[in-house]
Amino acid sequence: MASGEVFDPKTKSLSVPRVNLLTMFRLGLFQMGLSMMSILTLGVLNRVMIQEIAIPATLVSVVLALPLFVAPSRVWFGQISDAKPLWGYHRTAYVWVGAAIFAIAAFLAVQVMWQMNVAGNSAGTWVWTTQTIGWTALLALVFAIYGLGICASGTAFAALLVDISEEDNRSKVVGVVWSMLMVGIIVGAIISASLLRQLTPEATVETLQPAINRLFTIVPAIVFGLAIAATFGVEKKYSQYLTRSTLVNREDSITLGSAWKILTASPQTGIFFTFLLVMTISLFMQDPILEPYAGQVFKMPLAESTKLNIFYGMGLLIAYGVTGFYIVPRLGKRRTARLGCMLVAFCAILLGISGFTANAAVLKLGLFFFGLAAGFLTTAAISLMLDLTAAEAAGTFIGAWGLAQSLSRGVAVVIGGTVLDIGRKLLPSLELAYGLVFALEAVGMVLSIWFLNRVNITEFQTSTKQAIASVLESDLD
């Protein structure tokens, strides 16, 4: 009898044991680690590069968005983990290798950043030279590799969740793991803040360097350890991949071109995904500028600005629980999503106004409410997305949603940094420059409502199922 297999008396055959709640929480450690890495890049490096090193915000946002722009590689990593086991594992080895790559790349990115500072600030202010261009290109390469590591590890992990779960318990597995993602935001912020607590707002780059180096040595090592602890032994004991892989025309064999045909065949599908695209961009536009906002406008030290993610994460956690169990059942998914867009727009305006108070407590309160509104909207939007997905191609839609989310977040990061640079050049104060980004977020949310109002749910369900059947018939027969 193979490892992990048990005898099922009902079917009188060998079967794989069902994953238990403890294993679900253990798997969540991986997602927790990913969100901790996100805190390092978008919660620490953006602040250091924009404020302390004074690299143009547009350049910083483009570089930080590169891990998101390599998201199309997820399709290839998913297919290769299906077809080519590594060290005898279809998923686990890819998770570990990917985690090692992004952990090492994160540390190397910081070392390149210090070299950019030496080359670009030799005259006391940022200047473009042959050296700075070279170091910038190297930093972009390192961040692209970091993104590929995230894609390889994250895609294999997501496939592992499918392999170890059944239809009747998959939502529970995903729910537990997703909650741990939010826990990682809070834990990552606490660890980063504690390791940087000795730094003051006036800290020089020379003072910052050893503290940041220590942070980017300890946290990536912890995250790599979490990746191993989360997945060790799980695939061998619980995976049902071998029995599923014998199915003809497996859904995960659909190519990117076929998936695109499915997603664009119906006008309603296009309208709904446009809503998701605009919503996601508007929701994450503040990502690259939040910590610099706290430092430059509110005069918060680096450790304190990093802890802002705690307030945002707490809001998200509360909203995820309350919205799914109480709000959506009462209001419905579409009305909840519409209300969520309005709440996010209001909270974005609140964050922009908080800069004129120069009161950190107002900023923290605004972020908590923004987290509540974001969790409210995200829960409704994802629920709506799942509700409007035909079972025949559920994986295609979920995979495309992950790809669209990554690309949208990348665009959002670039827009946020670019708008900040434009605002600093055209507007008379930093408060107005940062406020311009938050105002644009609010406008984007209003535009999202316009697209959402044009989605016909009944027509979406009917036409999408027909489109999927047509494309699958022509492409997979």
Side-chain angles (χ1 to χ4, degrees), residues 162-235:
V162 176
D163 289 347
I164 66 170
S165 61
E166 295 288 353
E167 187 175 348
D168 62 343
N169 74 335
R170 189 163 296 147
S171 60
K172 183 184 295 186
V173 173
V174 173
V176 171
V177 172
W178 190 265
S179 297
M180 294 295 284
L181 187 71
M182 298 303 104
V183 173
I185 292 177
I186 299 173
V187 172
I190 293 173
I191 293 176
S192 299
S194 64
L195 291 175
L196 301 172
R197 65 181 180 275
Q198 76 277 15
L199 301 175
T200 65
E202 296 77 26
T204 64
V205 173
E206 290 71 22
T207 305
L208 282 173
Q209 188 165 341
I212 299 296
N213 284 344
R214 182 171 65 252
L215 177 66
F216 275 79
T217 301
I218 294 174
V219 174
I222 291 174
V223 171
F224 179 67
L226 288 176
I228 295 177
T231 55
F232 185 81
V234 172
E235 181 176 357

Side-chain angles (χ1 to χ4, degrees), residues 167 251 254 259 262-263 268-269 272-273 276 333 380-402 455-469 472:
E167 187 175 348
E251 187 181 359
I254 297 176
I262 291 173
L263 297 175
Q268 284 298 316
T269 306
F272 184 69
F273 272 88
L276 293 177
K333 299 178 180 67
I382 292 179
S383 298
L384 194 61
M385 172 71 191
L386 295 177
D387 214 32
L388 302 179
T389 299
E392 295 87 349
T396 297
F397 272 84
I398 299 305
W401 160 244
V455 174
N456 184 313
I457 297 178
T458 303
E459 181 185 339
F460 183 97
Q461 290 177 321
T462 303
S463 59
T464 298
K465 288 183 179 181
Q466 291 174 348
I468 290 170
L472 290 178

Side-chain angles (χ1 to χ4, degrees), residues 402-476:
L403 175 60
Q405 184 189 42
S406 294
L407 294 179
S408 300
R409 290 193 67 171
V411 171
V413 170
V414 173
I415 291 176
T418 303
V419 171
L420 174 60
D421 272 348
I422 293 172
R424 289 196 291 197
K425 289 182 179 180
L426 300 180
L427 299 175
S429 69
L430 280 173
E431 290 84 358
L432 288 172
Y434 281 101
L436 182 62
V437 179
F438 294 115
L440 189 59
E441 277 192 320
V443 172
M445 280 299 164
V446 175
L447 183 61
S448 298
I449 297 174
W450 187 85
F451 282 109
L452 180 61
N453 287 340
R454 278 148 185 78
V455 174
N456 184 313
I457 297 178
T458 303
E459 181 185 339
F460 183 97
Q461 290 177 321
T462 303
S463 59
T464 298
K465 288 183 179 181
Q466 291 174 348
I468 290 170
S470 175
V471 172
L472 290 178
E473 200 172 294
S474 61
D475 286 356
L476 300 181

